[in-house]
Amino acid sequence: MISRFSRQFSIGLFIVQWVVAFGDDHFSVYPNYEMQKQSISGCMTTACHGSNVPDTEIGQRAGKIWFDRDPHAQAYTNLLTNASARIVSRLVNVELKPSSQEYRDILKAKCVSCHASESAPDTQIAIGADCQVCHGSADAWGSQHYSSEWRALGKSRFDDTKMFNVESLAGRAQVCSSCHIGELNRGGPLDREVDHRLMAAGHPPMHFDFESFSRRYPVHWDTKDEPVGTGSSIGFERWRVGKITSAITKLKLLVARAERATSQSEVKHDWPELTEYSCSSCHHALVQPSWRQSGGVKSIADWDDWNVSQLDSAIRDHSVVELKSQIASLKSQIERAAPDPKSVAINAESLRRWLELELKQVSSTRENAVAIMLPKLQSQVEPFPKFRNWESAAQWYISTRVLSEGLGMKCSVDPIRLLMDDPFTDENRLWKPGPSKESNGPSGFQPDMLGNYNNELLKQLRKRP
Ligand code: HEC
Ligand code: HEC
Ligand code: HEC
Ligand code: HEC
């Protein structure tokens, strides 16, 4: 995609850092589609959020920033490109033109729940994923939110959950991951799902990482309490809240898929759904000799290492034992050749609930960030982990980078090009599927490719007083 979303990554000075509770409330999001449909034109007047004047308060320029630079403003028009036409045609096995009614019907059934705003009137679908997908229906915001009384309510102004609380990091990560990971049981065409069929047809994989996506996102709000970049604990705080929340969203999706497999519904879906597994445990280069054949991989496919690995660094230290035991139970169910959907659902739901409680604890405590980050980083780099797959290596890279930068370290070895496009500064897909060994991503993956990076982190850690 487009380089204007790139954000330079600056390494700030090391400051004493406290992880401050940002938001404690993992709220349930009121369904947007149950509200009166509203166009966002009312939000975009120059006196409100559509100002063009550079010096005005950022909130007043939010609409302009979104319109000019936000990837979500292109989300619908991108469904009409050649790339999308290829995806749609492969999906239904018929060559379809974007101008045809059949094509539009498929978009409506399979794509617009994420690529457009369910709160906007149908005639305005082309506006893409508008303000309402993240903030809640404009109908709920109504005329009250510019009163000083409402503003004075502070955090509790979002108690009416029809306005989504994206000020809370957990609430925000929940909103993003509904589309960037998926959410079912929203009702027919409103369901948000990119399954393996859609990925095999060419849809980019849902390799969502809240921290790196947040850094790439062109913000339209005041970040003084939320510095984008490093030298502050926000990276770590945002990463860990995002990591736990994403795991919760992914588990919710798994539970819904498992329940769907046992239901009597007419529409049949694949079970197990292959996107529940690490892509690279099936997609890898067929070469000999291979690290895979020397005992590296034992099960048919690993359960989703993208959302699960490094979760232990995100939670509290004394919760790790329980986490590992819960993950082991679920893995033993889902990594079978023919997983039983009922047992998978029970185990996944149990882990999801446990993580909800853990998230509450993590986001409501105030701790010395350095005291948390340092031992976490140390235990990640020594010993150098034996990665099972590309997903766990990529996650390890993301978390070590967040932690080391949070501790004020800078590494000259940047191995990321070997592993994937830089998740922090690139707008590119994290993984370009393809059989070519040269292409980054799983097919060229080698377990030791991050070794030099690890060595440098180790060296720097040893130098610390
Ligand atoms: C579950 C939500 C969801 C659904 C359903 C969905 N998408 Fe997407 N789509 C996304 C997200 C999120 C991205 C961005 C992925 C990324 O960058 O990590 C994306 C990216 C894309 C891209 C790449 C855009 C670019 O800028 O390169 C195309 C093309 C695309 N989707 C087409 C489709 C089509 C066609 C359908 C329906 C057949 C569809 N999508 C259904 C969420 C969805
Ligand atoms: C992809 C999600 C997303 C979309 C789309 C989005 N926002 Fe936001 N917006 C956020 C987040 C996250 C924040 C930061 C949290 C906060 O301040 O509530 C925010 C903050 C704001 C703020 C507070 C700014 C400040 O600091 O004073 C305003 C105003 C705003 N958004 C308006 C809009 C408008 C208008 C649109 C549509 C043109 C829009 N947003 C689209 C996610 C989004
Ligand atoms: C309504 C569904 C939806 C929600 C909610 C949503 N996104 Fe997206 N997002 C998309 C889709 C679809 C795309 C792909 C747009 C395209 O290129 O066509 C996308 C693209 C992006 C991209 C650009 C792709 C990339 O890999 O750099 C970023 C960054 C992003 N989203 C961040 C966020 C963040 C952060 C939030 C939450 C504050 C969020 N999104 C909420 C649907 C959504
Ligand atoms: C359990 C094994 C398995 C897992 C896990 C798996 N796939 Fe696949 N994938 C397959 C098989 C088999 C095919 C070929 C048949 C088909 O298209 O469904 C395929 C086909 C594809 C294709 C089309 C390839 C081509 O060359 O045409 C893409 C792209 C793809 N998968 C992406 C993914 C992504 C992304 C993930 C992880 C989210 C994933 N797969 C997980 C087994 C798997």
Side-chain angles (χ1 to χ4, degrees):
M1 245 175 18
I2 323 150
S3 57
R4 56 190 186 197
F5 302 129
S6 298
R7 176 164 289 121
Q8 207 51 42
F9 210 84
S10 63
I11 308 299
L13 285 175
F14 178 73
I15 333 165
V16 176
Q17 302 149 7
W18 291 88
V19 173
V20 182
F22 246 90
D24 20 81
D25 27 11
H26 198 240
F27 61 101
S28 59
V29 174
Y30 185 89
N32 245 336
Y33 49 83
E34 287 183 9
M35 306 292 290
Q36 188 84 42
K37 294 197 187 274
Q38 292 283 349
S39 136
I40 56 164
S41 58
C43 322
M44 300 289 240
T45 59
T46 45
C48 298
H49 301 296
S51 172
N52 223 338
V53 185
D55 294 339
T56 44
E57 203 199 312
I58 188 153
Q60 263 178 277
R61 289 180 283 123
K64 175 82 175 125
I65 297 170
W66 175 84
F67 189 81
D68 287 348
R69 296 173 37 212
D70 200 296
H72 301 100
Q74 314 293 326
Y76 185 81
T77 44
N78 274 341
L79 293 177
L80 307 175
T81 58
N82 290 341
S84 278
R86 260 197 311 277
I87 297 175
V88 170
S89 302
R90 280 196 211 130
L91 197 62
V92 292
N93 261 326
V94 194
E95 199 73 34
L96 289 178
K97 291 235 155 10
S99 52
S100 68
Q101 189 55 42
E102 221 179 331
Y103 188 94
R104 304 291 166 126
D105 290 345
I106 294 167
L107 298 189
K108 221 168 169 185
K110 296 245 176 234
C111 320
V112 300
S113 59
C114 299
H115 282 261
S117 170
E118 60 201 7
S119 308
D122 287 352
T123 50
Q124 302 206 2
I125 199 163
I127 193 108
D130 67 11
C131 331
Q132 306 176 90
V133 306
C134 290
H135 289 288
S137 165
D139 201 35
W141 285 82
S143 53
Q144 55 167 316
H145 75 278
Y146 33 82
S147 72
S148 43
E149 290 86 353
W150 183 80
R151 283 171 172 257
L153 289 173
K155 274 180 114 181
S156 67
R157 70 194 191 284
F158 294 115
D159 280 355
D160 173 0
T161 56
K162 290 177 191 143
M163 300 172 187
F164 300 168
N165 183 359
V166 285
E167 207 166 60
S168 126
L169 286 179
R172 187 185 308 173
Q174 189 186 358
V175 166
C176 314
S177 61
S178 168
C179 294
H180 281 270
I181 293 176
E183 188 180 359
L184 291 178
N185 294 337
R186 306 173 83 249
L190 303 166
D191 277 352
R192 291 171 168 165
E193 183 176 28
V194 173
D195 57 13
H196 186 262
R197 283 170 190 250
L198 193 39
M199 285 181 200
H203 197 282
M206 303 271 102
H207 283 141
F208 178 64
D209 167 63
F210 183 58
E211 173 57 16
S212 45
F213 273 64
S214 296
R215 291 188 193 186
R216 290 203 303 270
Y217 183 75
V219 292
H220 54 263
W221 59 89
D222 188 350
T223 52
K224 76 173 166 337
D225 298 326
E226 187 186 359
V228 181
T230 57
S232 137
S233 63
I234 183 65
F236 172 62
E237 180 64 4
R238 201 162 55 183
W239 171 77
R240 78 194 302 207
V241 167
K243 183 82 203 163
I244 303 173
T245 309
S246 299
I248 290 171
T249 304
K250 186 78 205 250
L251 285 161
K252 231 168 124 184
L253 184 61
L254 173 57
V255 172
R257 282 169 168 165
E259 285 171 350
R260 185 170 70 182
T262 59
S263 81
Q264 305 297 317
S265 150
E266 295 274 290
V267 193
K268 289 284 166 242
H269 294 272
D270 295 336
W271 174 263
E273 168 44 51
L274 299 189
T275 56
E276 292 295 341
Y277 300 88
S278 289
C279 319
S280 66
S281 43
C282 297
H283 295 276
H284 49 83
L286 294 174
V287 287
Q288 259 180 329
S290 156
W291 61 276
R292 297 178 56 85
Q293 288 161 339
S294 53
V297 172
K298 293 200 175 65
S299 61
I300 297 169
D302 296 336
W303 174 54
D304 177 39
D305 271 296
W306 184 264
N307 283 292
V308 174
S309 58
Q310 300 303 323
L311 202 47
D312 48 346
S313 290
I315 64 171
R316 295 168 305 161
D317 290 342
H318 61 268
S319 302
V320 171
V321 174
E322 175 62 18
L323 175 78
K324 290 203 162 139
S325 127
Q326 293 246 9
I327 288 181
S329 308
L330 180 50
K331 273 172 93 72
S332 75
Q333 291 297 335
I334 196 167
E335 289 178 356
R336 294 177 186 188
D340 168 34
K342 283 206 180 91
S343 316
V344 168
I346 291 167
N347 281 285
E349 179 60 11
S350 155
L351 177 54
R352 185 192 69 77
R353 283 177 190 220
W354 183 82
L355 283 173
E356 292 268 12
L357 296 176
E358 186 62 26
L359 178 63
K360 274 212 174 83
Q361 294 299 325
V362 162
S363 45
S364 63
T365 41
R366 195 189 156 92
E367 296 165 290
N368 181 324
V370 175
I372 313 175
M373 291 191 286
L374 193 56
K376 280 192 192 295
L377 183 60
Q378 274 159 340
S379 69
Q380 283 185 24
V381 297
E382 200 167 30
F384 180 51
K386 281 200 168 69
F387 299 116
R388 287 184 57 81
N389 49 39
W390 173 84
E391 283 82 354
S392 53
Q395 283 295 322
W396 177 85
Y397 172 75
I398 290 175
S399 68
T400 50
R401 183 145 160 198
V402 167
L403 287 167
S404 59
E405 286 176 351
L407 291 164
M409 294 160 59
K410 185 177 174 11
C411 222
S412 62
V413 180
D414 192 351
I416 195 65
R417 290 282 155 201
L418 292 171
L419 193 63
M420 56 182 166
D421 293 313
D422 191 328
F424 296 102
T425 53
D426 267 2
E427 54 298 318
N428 285 321
R429 307 276 89 82
L430 294 185
W431 171 40
K432 296 186 182 71
S436 141
K437 260 203 288 181
E438 280 72 49
S439 71
N440 52 6
S443 47
F445 171 70
Q446 292 295 330
D448 57 356
M449 68 193 342
L450 294 170
N452 289 342
Y453 169 68
N454 188 76
N455 285 342
E456 194 175 325
L457 286 177
L458 255 180
K459 239 189 277 160
Q460 291 198 25
L461 276 176
R462 289 192 182 131
K463 268 195 266 161
R464 284 178 80 88

